[in-house]
Amino acid sequence: MVSFLDEVQMFHNKLKGEQYDINDEFKIIKPLLDAHGDILKYAQQTAHIHSFWCSDFFMTTPVARCVVTHLVFEKLSKLHDKPITWFYLLPHKIVIDTAYQKVIFVNEDIKFLDDEGYAKPVTKAAFHDALAQGIIPEDEEFLFQDDPDSLEFLTHTKEVIQQISDSLGLSIEDAVKHLTGENFDFTFPHESDKNDDSL
Amino acid sequence: MNEMTDEYIQEKEIENDSKAFLQVRQDAGGNMLHLQGFGTEGNRDYGFAYRYTVPLVVADAIRDYIGDRYLSLASDQRIYFRNVIKLYRHHDGIQIHIDVPSVHNNKDDIFVLDLSSPLCTNLITWADENDLLVDVHKDGKYTGDN
């Protein structure tokens, strides 16, 4: 078996210069883009009369980039039988507008590390997923260091999960489910449930 | 209400057979919560019954609760609590209040939970048909400290 870095590099070499049509993904989001287009028209027509259509509530992007990217890469992940995180790692451009909808894997070097030499979170995610999918040897170690912010996040998350596991006598897996409310029919409400976008 | 006999009504200690109610099983295993409802015929001839998953601390608190127990509406096991389950309809959704004490209560001395899965629709529908949703339209849902 080949190492993680070599596997990713080989895959990138295969995809360099490739373009994939993403018309199907565009069809999913087009109604949302059209609706937002209407909102922008109303704003343009009335901005000198009242400010209603110009508020932050209306001026936010209609479709989150992460959602579009996920739709595209989920399709490619299935097509190439590679972890979805690998596509986030490879240099790419996604163009999605009325006239042109494609994803292009560009001929640039893969950036595994950030400017300070730490592993980018996507690199670690791609490594973890490669292990899980059996693409790289089980005993391969992750060669890079997490950046301090990621390390702090991971440490804190592990501590919270461990506390829940210890106090409730749950396995780590069940503690994660308890924390995230996964699969529960009734769940604890959260502060984030507040609808800050209400008029 | 339903076609249950007078004998049944008496046996199950139902004081007012024209008024629906919910009762919860003391121990449904693990993190399961089993509700029975007496009222119009839903998925049971006596009304309604369904099992739901809940955070383990909630199931544990019900297991440890010391309160009057009532007969199952389906059997002769005295393993259900009444008057601890209430459903509230807010302007932004429905929540269930489970009035059992626990160090893990998230609001005063009770649990307040969201009805988070599509399976809850059957409970909401039946409860609405039986006037068991307390309308608090002017209030938003409790969002807790989590």
Side-chain angles (χ1 to χ4, degrees):
Chain A
M1 262 185 171
V2 173
S3 74
F4 167 67
L5 292 180
D6 288 339
E7 281 284 357
V8 173
Q9 196 60 66
M10 285 193 309
F11 186 58
H12 183 218
N13 291 341
K14 180 181 164 189
L15 292 192
K16 267 184 212 175
E18 291 286 329
Q19 299 185 9
Y20 294 88
D21 285 325
I22 48 178
N23 301 330
D24 292 340
E25 288 70 31
F26 179 64
K27 282 179 193 157
I28 293 170
I29 67 167
K30 189 172 184 307
L32 303 175
L33 296 176
D34 288 345
H36 198 248
D38 289 342
I39 290 170
L40 292 177
K41 258 190 262 169
Y42 297 147
Q44 283 162 0
Q45 288 163 2
T46 61
H48 62 292
I49 305 169
H50 57 75
S51 61
F52 176 71
W53 294 106
C54 300
S55 67
D56 287 347
F57 178 73
F58 291 115
M59 292 297 117
T60 51
T61 182
V63 182
R65 276 178 60 193
C66 64
V67 169
V68 175
T69 314
H70 178 77
L71 285 173
V72 170
F73 286 164
E74 195 180 36
K75 179 168 93 171
L76 294 181
S77 170
K78 286 177 186 155
L79 179 69
H80 290 283
D81 191 27
K82 287 285 189 281
I84 191 171
T85 44
W86 283 32
F87 298 91
Y88 286 96
L89 178 59
L90 301 183
H92 62 271
K93 283 187 183 22
I94 294 178
V95 182
I96 192 156
D97 65 26
T98 316
Y100 188 78
Q101 307 101 38
K102 285 197 196 298
V103 59
I104 305 160
F105 291 94
V106 297
N107 189 8
E108 292 171 9
D109 291 338
I110 303 170
K111 285 193 180 142
F112 291 101
L113 307 178
D114 64 20
D115 293 338
E116 292 172 14
Y118 295 111
K120 290 165 62 178
V122 67
T123 305
K124 190 163 185 186
F127 175 83
H128 174 80
D129 289 346
L131 266 181
Q133 202 165 313
I135 298 173
I136 59 176
E138 278 179 16
D139 57 356
E140 179 169 343
E141 288 185 8
F142 188 63
L143 296 174
F144 309 116
Q145 234 181 325
D146 291 315
D147 70 87
D149 287 341
S150 292
L151 203 52
E152 187 182 339
F153 172 82
L154 291 171
T155 304
H156 175 71
T157 305
K158 280 182 201 168
E159 280 172 2
V160 169
I161 292 170
Q162 191 63 58
Q163 275 170 20
I164 292 172
S165 169
D166 291 343
S167 67
L168 300 181
L170 299 173
S171 66
I172 295 296
E173 190 186 346
D174 285 344
V176 171
K177 286 179 186 173
H178 176 82
L179 183 66
T180 58
E182 181 189 324
N183 295 331
F184 293 155
D185 296 315
F186 300 159
T187 54
F188 285 116
H190 297 281
E191 281 294 326
S192 59
D193 289 347
K194 280 185 183 149
N195 181 7
D196 292 325
D197 290 327
S198 64
L199 291 176
Chain B
M1 177 79 50
N2 55 37
E3 300 298 316
M4 309 315 286
T5 63
D6 290 342
E7 190 186 339
Y8 175 93
I9 299 295
Q10 196 174 19
E11 184 197 347
K12 302 300 180 186
E13 299 166 281
I14 297 170
E15 289 174 5
N16 181 352
D17 66 349
S18 62
K19 195 170 176 212
F21 62 85
L22 284 166
Q23 57 184 34
V24 60
R25 186 179 173 123
Q26 180 169 24
D27 189 346
N31 67 331
M32 302 303 294
L33 180 147
H34 190 271
L35 292 180
Q36 285 183 334
F38 175 80
T40 55
E41 187 173 334
N43 64 349
R44 296 287 188 274
D45 52 7
Y46 57 77
F48 173 85
Y50 216 85
R51 272 195 328 173
Y52 301 97
T53 51
V54 296
L56 188 59
V57 291
V58 176
D60 283 344
I62 297 171
R63 243 186 304 278
D64 295 339
Y65 180 58
I66 300 172
D68 292 335
R69 286 183 293 174
Y70 291 83
L71 288 173
S72 162
L73 296 174
S75 74
D76 57 4
Q77 292 184 291
R78 190 170 286 274
I79 51 175
Y80 282 81
F81 297 120
R82 289 182 192 169
N83 303 312
V84 299
I85 300 289
K86 279 205 174 78
L87 293 165
Y88 288 85
R89 176 160 43 199
H90 301 268
H91 68 75
D92 55 352
I94 294 172
Q95 289 184 314
I96 185 168
H97 288 210
I98 303 175
D99 191 358
V100 294
S102 166
V103 295
H104 299 288
N105 287 142
N106 64 327
K107 187 183 182 199
D108 302 325
D109 296 330
I110 66 171
F111 289 108
V112 179
L113 303 177
D114 286 336
L115 274 53
S116 301
S117 89
L119 286 178
C120 301
T121 309
N122 55 8
L123 169 63
I124 294 167
T125 303
W126 183 86
D128 202 9
E129 284 169 2
N130 285 273
D131 296 322
L132 286 173
L133 293 183
V134 178
D135 280 314
V136 283
H137 280 297
K138 65 179 176 60
D139 297 333
K141 289 192 298 181
Y142 178 68
T143 54
D145 296 325
N146 292 334

